[in-house]
Amino acid sequence: MMILEDSIKTLKGVGDKIAGFYEKLSLKSLWDLLFYFPRTYLEFPKPIDSLADICDGEIVALRICIQESPKNRKTGKMDITTLNTFVENVPVNMVWFRSPYIKSQLNLHNTYIFYGVIKSDGPHRKKMEQPVIYTEEKYAKELLSVQPIYGLTKGLSNNQIKKNVSDIVNSLEIEEFLPNDLLKKRKLESFSYALKQIHFPDTFDCLCQARQRLVYNEFFAFFLNMEMTKTKEEDVPNHFKLLKNEYYQKCLDGLPFALTDGQKTCLSEVMDDFNGKFVSQRLIQGDVGSGKTIIAFLLMTYMVENGYQAAIMAPTEILATQHYHTFLKYIEDYDLPFEAILLTGSKTVKEKRMVYEKLASDTPCYVIGTNALIQEKANYDSLGLVITDEQHRFGVKQRDAFRKKGKGPFTLVMSATPIPRTLSMILYGDMNISVISDVPAKRLPIKNAVIKQKDVPTAYQFIYKEIRLGRQAYVICPLVEASEKTESENVTDYGKKLRQYYQDTVSVGVLHGRMTAEEKASVMEEFATQKIDVLVSTTVVEVGVNVPNATVMLIENANRFGLAQLHQLRGRVGRGEHQSYCIFVDSSKEDKNKRLDVISHSNDGFYIASEDLKLRGPGDFYGIRQSGEFDFSLGDIYQDAPVLKMASEDVKELFSSDPKLTLDEHAKIKEYLYHLNQHQYTNL
Ligand code: ADP
Ligand code: MG
């Protein structure tokens, strides 16, 4: 009998070789493979008799009654079969290679469906290469089915995965863990049905039903975990002695700008927490550029001057290093008698050991770092405050690990994700919430433009003008190096191209994730000190990077990015007093890209998220915001907000009737959650 924990190798036909390929996708057990959901689905298009609304390169199913016989010929060693057809008087030439038998399959004056990609062949003709031929009856059957398309790796075909998954769903008994009345009440399909249909949907509707159930599972497990950890910990009384505020006040008085109302409210709310009876947790939500770093610095200063350590964790080394330098500057400017320590993964073992020793000693200090801060070896002596910056880049687990350091520190998480308050309250459980809804008054709104590739040189000239005015620019490309798979721009070649374009008049730097931490730091340093004018970068600058003198952001292949990501990227400019610009290059063939239209007409993260939602079709299965924040693999907090609310209510009700889940009828839920956490799939 098969069990979920079994290795993939127990499947028929899967040996070491294929298991090795699966391992590249981190798939080891049957469970892993069962929860490896299709990346997308292939639906056959309805057959058409006209080419009126069809673009070049589209996949079509053409219904054609053939009036000529196919011809076979040989070019060199290659057999070529051609068939001349007409669709409303437009000649469409069909071509097949190495398939002479096709000639005998097609009967004159019969109607067939030709399925494949249609392309122009000169100004007045079209062609299809290697179209698949169906009879009308056969195609009608295909039309009803929806085929899974999996993420692949070299050596592993879609058919291989299909076969293996099908073996699992057909021979495994997947037990239901939710009570029957709950399924009825929420009109949810059974777990086993959902798992079958998500891989092999009978119809599109079945697929939607299946997804709904699995999304419910994800949310249900998420809230379950939240409740479970909550009941284990009692409220921690506030044992911190927070009496001094001399340096905090000194910094506050010396700021080079006036704080916004949002920032002020946020500070006073956290100060109230610090004076409260219990050690609390708070979410600080503020759009990109709303000024969250200074809030972090001020609050950390307050903790440090009262004799505690205060730590901030950033998702990238670039950002951690930037914060570190920002803090050093503040320390110097305000003449603070405290030390700042940087801890990142790329430090040498010896350096790390020294930092660990410091953390374990009782020196009050600022601690700045990446997730190296939550490694087991990092033990803190007197941690008073932990702050997770750019929270959406971390999972819930990392956030919790940080909170569990020290002896129960105050916790802040900072996020730029525009989540409506009602949803935040559900998702962040019993955390308090502060919202910074305004941006510094002096800032001018960013001006946006969407351009086609042919107009990029004009953008270069515009960048040149800005540089002559003393400003700087970012150019974002999707790739690090040229790729055979796509024609998207890559930073390596782009950097060379721009250097050539500007000759020696502009200094161009290149930044990407494959550089060493030192290289990255030195490029960022050069950009921050204006030794570099134009920074050609991948999305490694997406989060948090702050160079207020940069005023132009040019995003190549912008149509390939999601809206949330574009909004974050654009947030790198418009951070200073100068007018800033964001130029989106649309490399698609469409006349007008809807998403780029949305983002170029608004700078408001909330609006963009809500429009993003409206642009979703029923086939857009994967969330608009694929982020690590909540570890959901299918569920999308916007799109699936109603399911989220349901799951939250259901888990609350469950816990109010059976706080420890000890009732027999709930045993399976507990078992399921245990399974899930074992597999580190909090994402189900
Ligand atoms: P984010 O909220 O995206 O993390 P940052 O904290 O990086 O934003 O702030 C962006 C820029 O705005 C920084 O250069 C910062 O010094 C500046 N800034 C922050 N608060 C204010 C303010 N109240 N007035 C003017 N500039 C501010
Ligand atoms: Mg920030």
Side-chain angles (χ1 to χ4, degrees):
M1 216 193 73
M2 235 184 221
I3 57 165
L4 278 168
E5 266 72 22
D6 284 348
S7 152
I8 281 185
K9 280 190 229 169
T10 58
L11 288 169
K12 226 169 121 193
V14 178
D16 285 341
K17 195 168 145 208
I18 291 177
F21 296 141
Y22 274 121
E23 204 163 331
K24 282 200 193 128
L25 298 171
S26 308
L27 306 175
K28 290 180 194 150
S29 66
L30 300 184
W31 171 293
D32 294 342
L33 190 52
L34 187 57
F35 291 103
Y36 190 63
F37 300 142
R39 181 171 58 78
T40 179
Y41 299 84
L42 181 69
E43 261 192 298
F44 286 90
K46 291 218 172 69
I48 47 173
D49 311 284
S50 151
L51 290 170
D53 299 317
I54 301 301
C55 303
D56 256 18
E58 231 176 283
I59 296 176
V60 293
L62 276 178
R63 184 181 8 234
I64 298 174
C65 177
I66 62 174
Q67 309 294 343
E68 283 178 37
S69 297
K71 294 186 191 77
N72 280 339
R73 64 187 158 89
K74 248 186 169 47
T75 308
K77 275 190 185 157
M78 175 92 87
D79 282 303
I80 296 181
T81 307
T82 55
L83 171 69
N84 296 325
T85 68
F86 288 89
V87 177
E88 292 179 323
N89 296 328
V90 180
V92 180
N93 290 348
M94 308 285 171
V95 186
W96 295 269
F97 307 106
R98 296 188 195 90
S99 321
Y101 52 86
I102 280 182
K103 189 170 158 67
S104 60
Q105 286 181 354
L106 294 170
N107 298 322
L108 212 55
H109 307 303
N110 281 18
T111 298
Y112 299 94
I113 308 289
F114 295 86
Y115 172 79
V117 178
I118 188 127
K119 285 187 184 150
S120 283
D121 186 16
H124 307 295
R125 304 162 73 85
K126 301 271 175 198
K127 70 171 174 192
M128 281 175 99
E129 280 178 6
Q130 308 274 76
V132 185
I133 306 162
Y134 295 92
T135 60
E136 284 199 275
E137 300 76 59
K138 228 174 150 195
Y139 193 78
K141 274 196 198 131
E142 295 287 0
L143 248 186
L144 290 173
S145 79
V146 186
Q147 297 293 320
I149 308 288
Y150 294 94
L152 304 176
T153 182
K154 208 171 169 192
L156 211 53
S157 70
N158 202 55
N159 277 337
Q160 176 79 43
I161 302 184
K162 256 167 83 173
K163 181 178 174 303
N164 296 144
V165 174
S166 136
D167 282 352
I168 301 176
V169 291
N170 289 329
S171 35
L172 247 180
E173 291 245 346
I174 297 152
E175 247 192 307
E176 183 55 69
F177 63 93
L178 288 178
N180 228 332
D181 39 349
L182 186 59
L183 293 183
K184 259 203 202 127
K185 179 176 155 200
R186 297 307 194 183
K187 298 200 177 64
L188 292 168
E189 296 292 346
S190 76
F191 192 19
S192 73
Y193 175 89
L195 281 172
K196 265 181 206 160
Q197 292 290 325
I198 197 87
H199 288 286
F200 306 108
D202 287 333
T203 65
F204 192 72
D205 281 346
C206 299
L207 177 56
C208 292
Q209 291 287 322
R211 181 183 176 277
Q212 175 102 347
R213 167 64 208 261
L214 294 171
V215 167
Y216 182 91
N217 279 13
E218 284 189 354
F219 293 154
F220 189 82
F222 173 81
F223 292 120
L224 218 49
N225 269 323
M226 194 151 96
E227 289 292 333
M228 297 290 246
T229 44
K230 207 163 40 177
T231 47
K232 270 189 221 140
E233 284 166 28
E234 297 305 318
D235 283 330
V236 183
N238 184 358
H239 57 277
F240 293 99
K241 288 200 186 70
L242 302 168
L243 302 167
K244 300 180 200 154
N245 70 351
E246 179 193 343
Y247 290 105
Y248 171 77
Q249 200 58 46
K250 187 176 173 187
C251 296
L252 211 52
D253 295 340
L255 287 179
F257 43 69
L259 290 178
T260 63
D261 287 345
Q263 285 172 314
K264 282 186 203 153
T265 313
C266 176
L267 276 181
S268 77
E269 282 169 347
V270 180
M271 280 300 177
D272 287 348
D273 291 352
F274 286 170
N275 291 318
K277 275 199 180 134
F278 298 102
V279 174
S280 66
Q281 304 180 54
R282 182 175 288 274
L283 165 73
I284 297 179
Q285 195 185 57
D287 208 348
V288 276
S290 59
K292 296 183 290 294
T293 315
I294 187 68
I295 300 296
F297 177 76
L298 288 166
L299 294 167
M300 286 168 78
T301 303
Y302 182 70
M303 270 296 166
V304 174
E305 76 171 305
N306 280 289
Y308 302 100
Q309 297 163 320
I312 183 165
M313 175 166 74
T316 62
E317 286 213 39
I318 293 178
L319 188 52
T321 313
Q322 176 188 289
H323 282 340
Y324 176 66
H325 288 297
T326 308
F327 279 31
L328 287 184
K329 177 140 194 324
Y330 285 139
I331 291 172
E332 196 188 312
D333 287 354
Y334 302 114
D335 203 12
L336 306 175
F338 311 116
E339 198 184 347
I341 303 174
L342 178 66
L343 178 60
T344 57
S346 70
K347 295 229 162 188
T348 63
V349 177
K350 206 173 143 199
E351 286 169 331
K352 275 189 204 155
R353 198 180 322 125
M354 277 166 59
V355 172
Y356 291 143
E357 274 168 23
K358 258 226 179 95
L359 298 183
S361 78
D362 60 358
T363 340
C365 57
Y366 301 92
V367 184
I368 300 129
T370 55
N371 61 1
L373 294 180
I374 51 173
Q375 303 307 311
E376 226 170 286
K377 281 186 187 154
N379 290 305
Y380 301 78
D381 174 72
S382 56
L383 204 48
L385 172 65
V386 296
I387 304 180
T388 306
D389 190 19
E390 304 289 353
Q391 135 83 18
H392 66 284
R393 283 300 192 92
F394 292 101
V396 176
K397 277 195 184 141
Q398 286 161 304
R399 191 178 82 199
D400 278 353
F402 206 16
R403 183 163 62 92
K404 296 207 172 101
K405 289 287 182 188
K407 301 171 194 104
F410 279 93
T411 303
L412 293 175
V413 299
M414 305 205 298
S415 167
T417 312
I419 305 176
R421 198 176 182 97
T422 48
L423 283 188
S424 299
M425 282 166 62
I426 296 176
L427 285 164
Y428 288 93
D430 51 2
M431 241 188 233
N432 303 318
I433 302 175
S434 292
V435 181
I436 306 178
S437 51
D438 42 6
V439 290
K442 267 198 195 157
R443 280 214 205 122
L444 299 162
I446 299 170
K447 290 188 177 164
N448 301 290
V450 180
I451 64 172
K452 286 288 185 183
Q453 278 171 313
K454 66 175 174 33
D455 295 317
V456 170
T458 317
Y460 292 166
Q461 284 163 27
F462 179 76
I463 289 176
Y464 182 79
K465 276 191 209 144
E466 281 290 301
I467 289 168
R468 287 287 85 100
L469 290 171
R471 306 283 86 77
Q472 290 162 279
Y474 294 94
V475 176
I476 306 296
C477 303
L479 304 176
V480 177
E481 285 168 353
S483 149
E484 285 169 12
K485 284 190 194 143
T486 97
E487 285 176 10
S488 293
E489 299 290 352
N490 70 85
V491 290
T492 315
D493 293 333
Y494 209 100
K496 288 181 198 151
K497 184 169 90 179
L498 266 193
R499 278 190 195 113
Q500 217 162 40
Y501 181 89
Y502 288 124
Q503 304 288 340
D504 288 331
T505 57
V506 165
S507 110
V508 177
V510 166
L511 183 72
H512 58 74
R514 286 199 217 145
M515 291 159 61
T516 66
E518 265 166 39
E519 288 168 337
K520 279 188 264 187
S522 106
V523 171
M524 273 321 293
E525 169 74 17
E526 284 177 353
F527 190 56
T529 54
Q530 222 179 339
K531 290 194 186 84
I532 290 174
D533 299 314
V534 180
L535 183 63
V536 180
S537 171
T538 55
T539 55
V540 286
V541 293
E542 179 185 333
V543 288
V545 167
N546 184 43
V547 179
N549 191 50
T551 53
V552 190
M553 160 78 44
L554 175 77
I555 306 176
E556 282 284 356
N557 309 108
N559 49 299
R560 298 201 32 188
F561 294 102
L563 272 181
Q565 202 175 14
L566 289 172
H567 182 59
Q568 280 286 331
L569 281 168
R570 175 172 59 186
R572 296 315 110 219
V573 296
R575 301 171 83 84
E577 58 196 295
H578 303 289
Q579 175 65 56
S580 288
Y581 307 87
C582 187
I583 306 166
F584 303 94
V585 183
D586 178 6
S587 59
S588 71
K589 292 200 176 98
E590 309 161 61
D591 282 348
K592 196 170 191 179
N593 182 293
K594 285 197 189 123
R595 281 182 300 125
L596 295 181
D597 197 42
V598 167
I599 194 152
S600 61
H601 283 100
S602 171
N603 290 325
D604 175 358
F606 273 94
Y607 172 80
I608 290 166
S610 74
E611 286 302 300
D612 204 353
L613 192 54
K614 287 185 204 152
L615 290 178
R616 313 248 94 200
D620 290 321
F621 262 20
Y622 293 90
I624 46 181
R625 198 169 287 274
Q626 285 284 294
S627 74
E629 192 161 14
F630 302 106
D631 302 327
F632 301 135
S633 67
L634 279 178
D636 179 299
I637 55 173
Y638 295 87
Q639 202 170 326
D640 303 307
V643 185
L644 186 81
K645 286 179 188 150
M646 266 189 230
S648 155
E649 277 170 32
D650 295 346
V651 169
K652 283 225 172 78
E653 203 174 305
L654 184 72
F655 271 79
S656 68
S657 69
D658 183 12
K660 296 232 156 75
L661 298 187
T662 40
L663 294 180
D664 264 3
E665 65 213 74
H666 298 147
K668 279 187 194 145
I669 296 181
K670 229 171 156 176
E671 209 173 288
Y672 168 72
L673 194 69
Y674 174 77
H675 248 335
L676 210 58
N677 293 341
Q678 281 288 308
H679 284 268
Q680 298 186 317
Y681 271 93
T682 29
N683 58 351
L684 227 198

